[in-house]
């Protein structure tokens, strides 16, 4: 699956906020569905007998091996179908998250018939019907079958077998199905049989079912309505990962239960149907009304898990090419294909496949690859074998914007999903507890692919910016989780969905990179080749991977390790957080301790006794030194001592390949500061990034004083690398600082201090923007960092920044084809509105009304909140709660305005008079969020009381308790920020 939005690279902040809102909406929808599902026994077809109601408990189950009483036989009859939600049923295997091992699926014959027609008034839901024949092998005698099913109506169920090849006499038997019931808690369909299945026998489960397809739910089967060539159209697609295949067809929905699939899709003749494999044939079917439908059948897939089954039904066009004799097609809206938006992705997809084939020495096994761009797709992208699904914003290249990071974004995402063809599709984790084996390695190889095609890309700096910085800022011992978990720790399906997070992707990629760094690239790749070859079309666990690394290590004698690969890597994957490595440069003593958010004085109270086996690559005076290992709490390395010489300095963690932060004693930091002021270029860019980011993080969490971090910024007038400036600004000019109404003592000092150093780097990039912004197209780090540079310069009141904002905004409003460079568009729009009048605001409002792309509408909605005119903001808030022509469905306008510089005051007063309307429009949970936003600056108990009284009538009792606890947390955080700000202000007085 595509990387999570929290990575900070793939999804904008505005989109991230939107996704949070959509998630809340989805949970409400899911709760409603669950209530419906648990409330009613599935309505039976008219030709089946009456079925038991929802409160009818199944007959007491027997164990699979229990024989029937002597002389008793099962009646042959149609099964009864019952739904249960955990009440009124005896305990059994349906109470466990994992399927019992009685059956092994071998092959699925799957037919799906979604009732999607063009030129219809599409309702929020469509119906679909389906049939699936699953060939299974029985491994233990059983009278009961469990398989996954969620929100599906079972229309009929039969079990045939033993199949002829096993019976020996050419006959095929039939095992009566006495009862079919649903265990909703663990999402099972249970078949009670009239006779036992025999170990070693092969059987065929024949199931007919029906269900609903929801618009834009984007889990299981879903459909989307969009505009193409001026017309409203609809398409249907699937998203089965991790556990949504069971909502499309009854199946054995676990990653280790691989099988082959023959897929048949019945669809309107004007649509094209796509699936994992090439189309095998096409025929015609008429429904009961005599209407004609097309039946598309597809070739048999390789062995694969259910989560990779994929299909799409659409009215799309495509572009294609061949790579090593295999067809690649990019499918998208006809407008996008005609405009050439898919050409960039098409041209790089084949070479990425070829590079990875050569790297792993394993050919891509499927005969074709289809990649489809959906108008919206919450998962960013999905790696289904043979049919990759993307959000079009991550696959299609806009041709009107000459300065965009879209080329890099598309390259990274494509590399990630194509990497899954080996990590995940060819070799699949045995269970979701090791999902990092696919997501972490796919994320890691994004950078290998990009580096191969763009050798000048600063790989280390980009990895830091895209992957490492984000996860280090979120990871710590008491809140995060281990990358690899114990399988038995899972008790609910929802826990599987939660694994697709920053730790699986970013931490997984970081640990893979660390492993590669302390071995070497050749050993690393050789071990992966062995692993992929051994477990092709099968499943593996983390220990399987470590065994193959150990085999490669044991076959050579150049690289020596202090412990087995398993011991080393388990110390990182099986525990949460990461260490802080502290070097005393006077003694050469290196120690490790767990990193905590807000280090406390009495650490003995904190539950963490383990240590990491830490590889330390390092440099001294710019020269790379030999690898050393810290395999205990502390060690002495005499070679790390520094002399009194002004030229002597040490930096641990070469290229930031180790997953840890580095601290130094007072002398160590002083030496680095002296070197930066004397000759900053002697320290490589990645390490200027490192010392800034480590120092600010450590100071924020009480490992070092804030003054130590600030001292490292004195040299910045000589810093010409924008990515280093980015690290400084995101750490120094934080949201808390910008939002803090009490920071005005610091503001003029910070303005003077930063502008004195910022002018040089600003002049470089402002000149480029004015004269020829297109030269930035291949400067990826600039594209990443420009927004923060512009945002800070304008916030500090740099007149040239404000003037440039006016110029770019005016040029765009006069002629919208004069695109504002996308990396700075949000800033320019914001300051264009802040510095403008009602005329500019109305222009943006009209632009919003005419935009169809969700991401563009969100960007405009946020920009409109930047107005400094209270009257305009009140008008904006009125639009948000009235039936205006502006839907504002993409974001919560009240929250957006409340988070703005002037809007925080307007929103509070607006709520007093309109809280009922706000609650009805956005829900009571929005009031909790608004309280948190408005309460950002509180620092006393009196202020908490005032806010609680203010919101008292708006919140329910349980919400009041939650909010009170949250406000106490905010207050404590603000008090800590005040103390920090006071010290920063004092330092700035001395140094500004």
């Amino acid at each position: 699956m595509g990387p999570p939005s929290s990575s900070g690279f793939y999804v904008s902040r505005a989109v991230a906020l939107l996704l949070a809102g959509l998630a809340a909406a989805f949970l409400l929808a899911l709760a409603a569905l669950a209530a419906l599902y648990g409330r009613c026994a599935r309505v039976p077809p008219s030709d089946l007998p009456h079925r038991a109601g929802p409160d009818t408990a199944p007959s007491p189950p027997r164990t699979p091996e229990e024989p029937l009483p002597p002389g008793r036989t099962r009646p042959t009859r149609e099964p009864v179908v019952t739904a249960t939600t955990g009440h009124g049923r005896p305990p059994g295997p349906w109470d466990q998250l994992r399927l019992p091992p009685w059956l092994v699926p071998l092959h699925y014959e799957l037919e799906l018939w979604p009732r999607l027609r063009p030129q219809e008034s599409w309702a929020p839901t469509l119906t679909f019907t389906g049939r699936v024949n699953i060939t299974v092998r029985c491994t233990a005698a059983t009278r009961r079958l469990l398989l996954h099913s969620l929100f599906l109506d079972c229309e009929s169920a039969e079990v045939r077998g033993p199949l002829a090849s096993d019976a020996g006499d050419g006959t095929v038997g039939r095992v009566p199905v006495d009862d079919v019931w649903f265990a909703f808690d663990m999402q099972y369909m249970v078949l009670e049989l009239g006779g036992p299945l025999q170990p070693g026998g092969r059987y065929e489960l024949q199931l007919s079912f029906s269900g609903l397809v929801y618009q834009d739910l984007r889990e299981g089967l879903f459909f989307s309505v969009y505009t193409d060539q001026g017309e409203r159209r609809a398409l249907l697609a699937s998203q089965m990962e991790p556990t949504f295949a069971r909502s499309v067809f009854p199946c054995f929905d676990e990653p280790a239960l691989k099988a082959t699939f023959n897929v048949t899709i019945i669809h309107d003749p004007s649509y094209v149907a796509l699936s994992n494999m090439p189309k095998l044939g096409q025929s015609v079917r008429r429904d009961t009304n005599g209407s004609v439908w097309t039946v598309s059948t597809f070739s048999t897939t390789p062995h694969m898990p259910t989560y990779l089954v994929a299909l799409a039904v659409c009215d799309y066009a495509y572009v294609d090419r061949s790579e090593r004799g295999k067809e690649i097609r990019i499918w998208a809206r006809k407008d996008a294909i005609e405009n050439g938006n898919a050409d960039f992705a098409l041209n790089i997809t084949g070479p990425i496949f070829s590079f990875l084939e050569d790297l792993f020495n394993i050919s891509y096994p499927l005969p074709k690859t289809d990649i489809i761009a959906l108008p919206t797709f919450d998962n960013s992208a999905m790696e289904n074998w043979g049919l990759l699904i993307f959000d079009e914003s991550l696959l299609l290249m806009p041709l009107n914007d000459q300065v965009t990071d879209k080329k890099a974004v598309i390259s990274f995402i494509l590399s990630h999903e194509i990497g899954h063809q080996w990590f995940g599709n060819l070799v699949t984790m045995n269970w979701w507890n090791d999902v990092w084996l696919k997501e972490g390695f796919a994320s890691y190889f994004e950078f290998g692919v990009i580096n191969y095609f763009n050798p000048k890309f600063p790989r280390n700096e980009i990895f830091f910016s895209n992957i490492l910085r984000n996860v280090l800022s979120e990871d710590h011992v008491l809140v995060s989780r281990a990358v690899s978990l114990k399988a038995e720790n899972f008790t609910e399906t929802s826990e599987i969905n939660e694994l697709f997070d920053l730790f699986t992707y970013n931490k997984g990629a970081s640990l893979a990179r660390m492993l590669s760094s302390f071995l070497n690239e050749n050993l690393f790749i050789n071990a992966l080749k062995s692993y992929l070859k051994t477990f092709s079309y099968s499943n593996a666990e983390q220990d399987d991977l470590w065994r193959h690394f150990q085999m490669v290590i044991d076959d050579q004698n150049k690289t020596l390790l202090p412990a087995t690969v398993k011991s080393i890597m388990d110390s990182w994957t099986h525990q949460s957080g990461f260490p802080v490595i502290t070097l005393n440069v006077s003694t050469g003593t290196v120690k490790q301790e767990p990193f905590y958010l807000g280090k406390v004085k009495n650490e003995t109270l904190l539950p963490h006794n383990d240590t990491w086996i830490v590889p330390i690559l390092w440099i001294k005076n710019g020269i790379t030194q030999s690898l050393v290992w810290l395999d205990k709490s502390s060690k002495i390395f005499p070679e790390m001592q520094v002399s009194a010489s002004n030229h002597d300095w040490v930096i641990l963690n070469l290229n930031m390949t180790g997953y840890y932060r580095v601290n130094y004693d007072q002398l160590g930091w002083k030496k680095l500061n002296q070197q930066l002021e004397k000759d900053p270029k002697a320290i490589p860019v990645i390490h200027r990034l490192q010392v800034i980011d480590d120092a600010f993080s450590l100071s924020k969490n009480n490992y070092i004083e804030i003054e130590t971090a600030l001292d490292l910024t004195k040299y910045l007038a000589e810093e010409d690398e924008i990515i280093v400036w980015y690290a400084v600004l995101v750490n120094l000019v934080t949201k808390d600082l910008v939002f803090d109404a009490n920071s005005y003592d610091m503001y003029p000092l910070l303005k003077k201090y930063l502008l004195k150093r910022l002018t040089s780097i600003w002049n470089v990039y402002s000149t480029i923007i004015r004269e020829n912004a297109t030269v930035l197209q291949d400067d990826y780090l600039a594209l990443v960092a420009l927004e923060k540079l512009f945002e800070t310069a304008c916030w500090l009141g740099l007149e040239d920044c404000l003037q440039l904002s006016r110029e770019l905004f005016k040029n765009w409003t006069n002629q919208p084809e004069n695109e504002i460079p996308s990396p700075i568009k949000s800033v320019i729009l914001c300051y264009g509105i802040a510095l403008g009048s009602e005329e500019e605001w109305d222009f943006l409002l009209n632009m919003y009304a005419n935009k169809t792309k969700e991401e563009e509408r969100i960007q405009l909605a946020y920009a409109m909140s930047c107005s400094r005119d209270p009257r305009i903001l009140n008008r904006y808030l009125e639009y948000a709660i009235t039936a205006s022509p502006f839907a504002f469905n993409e974001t919560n306008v009240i929250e957006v305005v409340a988070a703005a510089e002037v809007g925080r005051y307007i929103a509070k007063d607006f709520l007093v008079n309109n809280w009922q309307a706000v609650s009805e429009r956005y829900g009571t949970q929005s009031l909790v969020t608004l309280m948190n936003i408005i309460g950002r600056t509180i620092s006393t108990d009196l202020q908490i009381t005032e806010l609680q009284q203010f919101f008292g009538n708006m919140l329910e009792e349980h919400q009041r308790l939650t909010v009170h606890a949250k406000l106490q947390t905010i207050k404590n955080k603000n008090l800590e920020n005040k103390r920090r700000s006071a010290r920063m202000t004092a330092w700035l007085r001395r140094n500004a």
Side-chain angles (χ1 to χ4, degrees):
M1 204 185 306
S5 63
S6 55
S7 66
F9 166 67
Y10 299 101
V11 182
S12 68
R13 291 178 307 222
V15 175
L17 287 171
L18 168 67
L19 293 180
L22 289 177
F26 166 68
L27 289 175
L28 289 173
L30 189 60
L33 287 171
L36 176 64
Y37 187 88
R39 186 173 65 248
C40 60
R42 292 316 199 180
V43 179
S46 58
D47 60 339
L48 290 182
H50 176 70
R51 298 175 183 178
D55 298 324
T56 303
S59 55
R62 295 176 301 276
T63 61
E65 295 76 21
E66 181 185 346
L68 285 170
R72 184 174 175 183
T73 60
R74 291 249 176 212
T76 300
R77 58 182 174 83
E78 293 288 353
V80 174
V81 182
T82 310
T84 78
T85 58
H87 303 291
R89 71 171 187 237
W94 43 82
D95 297 317
Q96 304 301 315
L97 182 62
R98 302 289 296 272
L99 282 164
W102 309 332
L103 298 178
V104 177
L106 304 174
H107 178 72
Y108 292 76
E109 292 281 342
L110 174 63
E111 176 186 284
L112 293 170
W113 188 350
R115 301 314 199 269
L116 178 67
R117 289 288 201 182
Q119 304 304 324
E120 290 187 354
S121 178
W122 295 287
T125 59
L126 301 171
T127 60
F128 75 96
T129 56
R131 297 185 300 177
V132 65
N133 295 344
I134 312 174
T135 303
V136 300
R137 185 177 72 250
C138 180
T139 62
T142 179
R143 295 177 183 273
R144 181 181 298 117
L145 308 184
L146 270 70
L147 64 163
H148 288 106
S149 179
L150 181 65
F151 304 136
L152 296 176
D153 293 313
C154 178
E155 312 294 356
S156 65
E158 292 186 15
V159 176
R160 299 176 69 245
L163 299 184
S165 59
D166 296 312
D169 58 1
T171 63
V172 178
R174 181 173 179 270
V175 182
V177 179
D178 287 354
D179 192 11
V180 178
W181 58 279
F182 292 86
F184 179 75
D185 293 354
M186 293 301 174
Q187 304 175 358
Y188 289 135
M189 172 192 287
V190 184
L191 279 64
E192 303 282 357
L193 306 182
L197 303 189
Q198 298 303 320
R202 288 192 308 123
Y203 296 83
E204 186 175 79
L205 316 183
Q206 298 181 344
L207 304 166
S208 296
F209 53 91
S210 62
L212 295 176
V213 184
Y214 289 84
Q215 183 174 349
D216 294 331
L217 188 61
R218 303 186 187 108
E219 292 181 354
L221 280 186
F222 62 91
F223 75 98
S224 296
V225 179
Y226 63 98
T227 302
D228 192 12
Q229 296 182 322
E231 297 179 357
R232 287 182 80 245
R233 305 189 184 192
L235 60 78
L236 180 140
S238 65
Q239 169 60 24
M240 308 294 195
E241 188 181 34
T243 58
F244 305 126
R246 65 193 65 175
S247 67
V248 180
F249 59 101
C251 58
F252 298 85
D253 199 11
E254 294 185 2
L257 299 179
K258 289 187 170 183
T260 54
F261 294 79
N262 276 87
V263 176
T264 297
I265 303 172
I266 303 173
H267 57 94
D268 186 273
S270 66
Y271 287 131
V272 64
L274 303 172
S275 189
N276 303 85
M277 298 298 288
K279 187 178 292 184
L280 186 63
Q282 192 165 292
S283 60
V284 171
R285 183 178 299 183
R286 292 185 182 274
D287 61 22
T288 55
N289 297 321
S291 300
V292 174
W293 296 78
T294 297
V295 181
S296 295
T297 59
F298 298 87
S299 299
T300 306
T301 70
H303 275 85
M304 66 183 197
T306 49
Y307 79 80
L308 289 178
V309 175
L311 63 116
V313 176
C314 62
D315 181 18
Y316 266 10
Y318 68 87
V319 289
D320 65 339
R321 61 171 281 177
S322 291
E323 182 77 10
R324 296 183 174 177
K326 297 182 179 182
E327 186 178 33
I328 296 170
R329 298 184 295 187
I330 309 286
W331 296 81
R333 291 175 295 105
K334 293 175 180 178
D335 280 341
I337 294 296
E338 289 175 5
N339 292 336
N341 301 136
D343 294 349
F344 175 74
L346 179 69
N347 291 332
I348 66 172
T349 295
I352 293 172
F353 268 104
S354 294
F355 169 73
L356 291 174
E357 283 184 327
D358 294 341
L359 183 66
F360 301 133
N361 197 29
I362 298 175
S363 296
Y364 174 66
L366 273 65
K368 64 90 177 178
T369 298
D370 285 313
I371 305 177
I372 185 169
L374 304 188
T376 54
F377 186 51
D378 287 354
N379 295 285
S380 300
M382 179 62 202
E383 69 267 15
N384 312 299
W385 241 351
L387 178 56
L388 286 72
I389 297 178
F390 278 67
D391 187 292
E392 68 174 30
S393 67
L394 302 175
L395 187 70
L396 304 183
M397 182 70 193
L399 302 182
N400 58 338
D401 189 351
Q402 297 303 307
V403 185
T404 175
D405 62 355
K406 278 294 175 69
K407 280 188 178 180
V409 170
I410 294 167
S411 299
F412 279 120
I413 300 285
L414 268 172
S415 298
H416 181 99
E417 304 307 331
I418 295 172
H420 275 312
Q421 310 308 300
W422 288 265
F423 291 95
N425 298 10
L426 185 66
V427 178
T428 310
M429 66 277 151
N430 192 55
W431 179 243
W432 296 107
N433 61 309
D434 280 330
V435 68
W436 87 274
L437 291 180
K438 78 181 188 76
E439 297 298 350
F441 278 88
S443 298
Y444 170 75
F445 277 107
E446 293 175 31
F447 297 88
V449 172
I450 301 303
N451 194 63
Y452 175 79
F453 291 109
N454 303 275
K456 293 184 179 179
F457 256 41
R459 182 174 177 177
N460 293 319
E461 289 82 355
I462 291 176
F463 190 93
F464 169 81
S465 300
N466 290 359
I467 298 288
L468 190 56
R469 179 183 171 273
N470 297 304
V471 69
L472 284 178
S473 66
E474 296 293 331
D475 195 9
H476 62 103
V477 169
L478 297 182
V479 170
S480 70
R481 61 169 181 82
V483 169
S484 179
L485 304 171
K486 292 182 179 180
E488 59 268 23
N489 287 353
F490 291 78
T491 59
E492 297 181 8
T493 306
S494 60
E495 294 172 337
I496 296 171
N497 300 324
E498 292 165 3
L499 291 175
F500 291 82
D501 62 9
L502 200 65
F503 303 110
T504 290
Y505 289 81
N506 291 25
K507 187 171 182 177
S510 300
L511 295 183
R513 180 169 175 255
M514 182 172 68
L515 177 60
S516 174
S517 71
F518 71 71
L519 299 177
N520 62 56
E521 191 70 12
N522 287 335
L523 289 177
F524 182 74
I525 295 299
N526 287 341
L528 291 178
K529 286 179 181 178
S530 175
Y531 165 78
L532 291 171
K533 183 177 180 181
T534 300
F535 294 100
S536 289
Y537 306 103
S538 185
N539 297 79
E541 298 177 344
Q542 179 175 273
D543 283 355
D544 296 318
L545 180 65
W546 301 153
R547 275 194 295 273
H548 282 265
F549 272 98
Q550 194 63 49
M551 287 162 51
V552 171
I553 293 295
D554 293 343
D555 284 344
Q556 54 85 57
N557 54 21
K558 185 175 180 181
T559 297
L560 302 176
L561 302 178
T564 64
V565 174
K566 173 177 168 55
S567 297
I568 294 169
M569 295 307 297
D570 280 358
S571 76
W572 296 91
T573 62
H574 283 324
Q575 61 179 326
S576 60
F578 61 87
V580 175
I581 307 301
T582 301
L583 168 64
N584 184 313
V585 297
S586 299
T587 63
T589 301
V590 179
K591 69 172 185 177
Q592 62 168 292
E593 59 185 316
F595 176 80
Y596 295 104
L597 288 183
K599 183 183 179 185
V600 298
K601 294 180 180 179
N602 188 2
E603 290 182 10
T604 59
L605 298 177
L606 299 173
H608 198 286
N609 299 317
D610 295 329
T611 58
W612 291 263
I613 302 178
V614 185
I616 301 178
L617 289 159
W618 57 294
I619 56 176
K620 188 172 187 177
N621 303 330
I623 300 172
T624 302
Q625 307 294 310
S626 299
L627 169 68
V628 298
W629 289 89
L630 181 61
D631 53 2
K632 54 182 70 172
S633 58
S634 67
K635 261 186 177 181
I636 296 177
F637 299 98
E639 63 271 30
M640 292 184 182
Q641 292 175 285
V642 300
S643 67
S645 166
N646 289 335
H647 303 287
D648 228 5
W649 53 273
V650 171
I651 291 179
L652 305 188
N653 199 7
L654 178 66
N655 292 326
M656 294 192 76
T657 54
Y659 188 70
Y660 49 85
R661 290 201 182 274
V662 181
N663 191 11
Y664 303 91
D665 66 338
Q666 191 172 359
L667 179 60
W669 286 114
K670 181 181 178 181
K671 291 285 187 179
L672 292 174
N673 186 36
Q674 289 175 340
Q675 184 59 45
L676 285 172
E677 293 199 57
K678 181 177 182 180
D679 181 13
K681 294 298 179 67
I683 299 178
V685 176
I686 185 62
H687 291 297
R688 303 206 296 275
L689 266 174
Q690 176 197 7
V691 296
I692 292 290
D693 201 64
D694 279 354
F696 274 100
S697 175
L698 293 170
S699 70
K700 182 180 179 181
N701 292 287
N702 304 321
Y703 286 83
I704 62 175
E705 305 295 346
I706 180 60
E707 292 84 356
T708 301
L710 291 171
D711 283 344
L712 295 170
T713 68
K714 291 179 180 178
Y715 86 99
L716 283 173
E718 306 301 319
E719 182 57 76
D720 58 3
E721 293 287 347
I722 192 171
I723 194 63
V724 179
W725 267 103
Y726 177 78
V728 172
L729 297 179
V730 297
N731 280 291
L732 191 56
V733 186
T734 62
K735 287 182 181 178
D736 288 338
L737 176 65
V738 172
F739 197 89
D740 186 2
N742 299 313
S743 67
Y744 296 124
D745 286 346
M746 185 198 299
Y747 179 80
L749 297 169
L750 185 64
K751 175 178 180 178
K752 181 179 180 181
Y753 180 80
L754 279 180
L755 289 184
K756 181 178 179 181
R757 290 159 176 80
L758 191 72
T759 303
S760 179
I761 192 79
W762 167 260
N763 287 341
V764 170
Y765 285 97
S766 62
T767 300
I768 291 173
I769 292 293
R770 282 189 168 102
E771 295 180 354
N772 184 16
T774 57
V775 302
L776 296 173
Q777 183 55 56
D778 295 322
D779 187 350
Y780 176 71
L781 293 177
L783 297 177
V784 168
L786 269 175
E787 181 180 30
K788 188 62 180 179
L789 178 66
F790 270 67
E791 181 185 83
T792 304
C794 285
W795 178 70
L796 292 172
L798 181 63
E799 183 52 43
D800 191 51
C801 182
L802 301 176
Q803 181 58 35
L804 182 53
S805 296
R806 292 188 190 96
E807 292 172 10
L808 293 174
F809 188 85
K810 185 176 182 179
N811 290 340
W812 176 68
T813 56
N814 289 340
Q815 285 185 294
E817 60 270 22
N818 292 334
E819 274 289 342
I820 302 168
S822 62
I824 59 171
K825 188 169 183 177
S826 292
V827 177
I828 300 304
L829 292 180
C830 183
Y831 278 92
I833 292 298
L835 301 170
S837 64
E838 194 164 13
E839 180 182 352
E840 285 77 15
W841 197 89
D842 285 340
F843 179 86
L844 241 61
L845 184 65
N846 290 327
M847 289 290 290
Y848 173 91
N850 293 319
K851 290 291 184 182
T852 58
K853 288 188 178 180
E854 195 173 77
E855 193 172 2
E856 292 179 326
R857 286 167 67 89
I858 291 171
Q859 188 177 54
L860 294 171
Y862 271 77
M864 286 187 282
S865 74
C866 296
S867 174
R868 293 171 179 170
D869 185 333
R871 188 173 53 85
I872 291 176
L873 291 176
N874 266 304
R875 177 183 159 204
Y876 192 19
L877 293 170
E878 288 286 351
Y879 283 156
I881 62 169
T882 58
S884 72
F886 313 106
F888 298 117
N889 290 327
E890 295 81 9
T891 190
N892 185 324
V893 169
I894 312 296
E895 292 178 9
V896 170
V897 172
E901 185 176 358
V902 175
R904 72 183 86 165
Y905 308 107
I906 308 302
K908 186 175 179 180
D909 291 339
F910 186 83
L911 277 173
V912 172
N913 300 314
N914 300 277
W915 70 267
Q916 188 66 45
V918 172
S919 177
E920 291 173 0
R921 173 71 173 87
Y922 294 107
T924 56
Q925 183 57 42
S926 173
L927 298 176
V928 177
T929 305
L930 284 166
M931 179 178 273
N932 293 336
I933 294 173
I934 294 171
R936 276 182 179 174
T937 58
I938 61 175
S939 57
T940 68
D941 289 332
L942 178 61
Q943 289 173 317
I944 291 179
T945 301
E946 289 173 349
L947 267 180
Q948 285 182 310
Q949 290 173 347
F950 171 66
F951 280 94
N953 296 327
M954 306 182 195
L955 301 175
E956 297 176 7
E957 182 60 33
H958 72 280
Q959 291 175 319
R960 293 190 194 110
L961 295 174
T962 300
V963 163
H964 180 75
K966 180 66 176 178
L967 291 176
Q968 286 288 350
T969 301
I970 293 174
K971 183 196 80 170
N972 294 336
K973 178 184 175 185
N974 286 344
L975 288 174
E976 178 61 32
N977 286 342
K978 268 191 169 184
R979 289 189 287 269
R980 182 180 172 89
S981 295
R983 295 183 68 167
M984 290 175 65
T985 302
W987 186 92
L988 287 167
R989 284 198 181 99
R990 296 192 300 271
N991 292 278

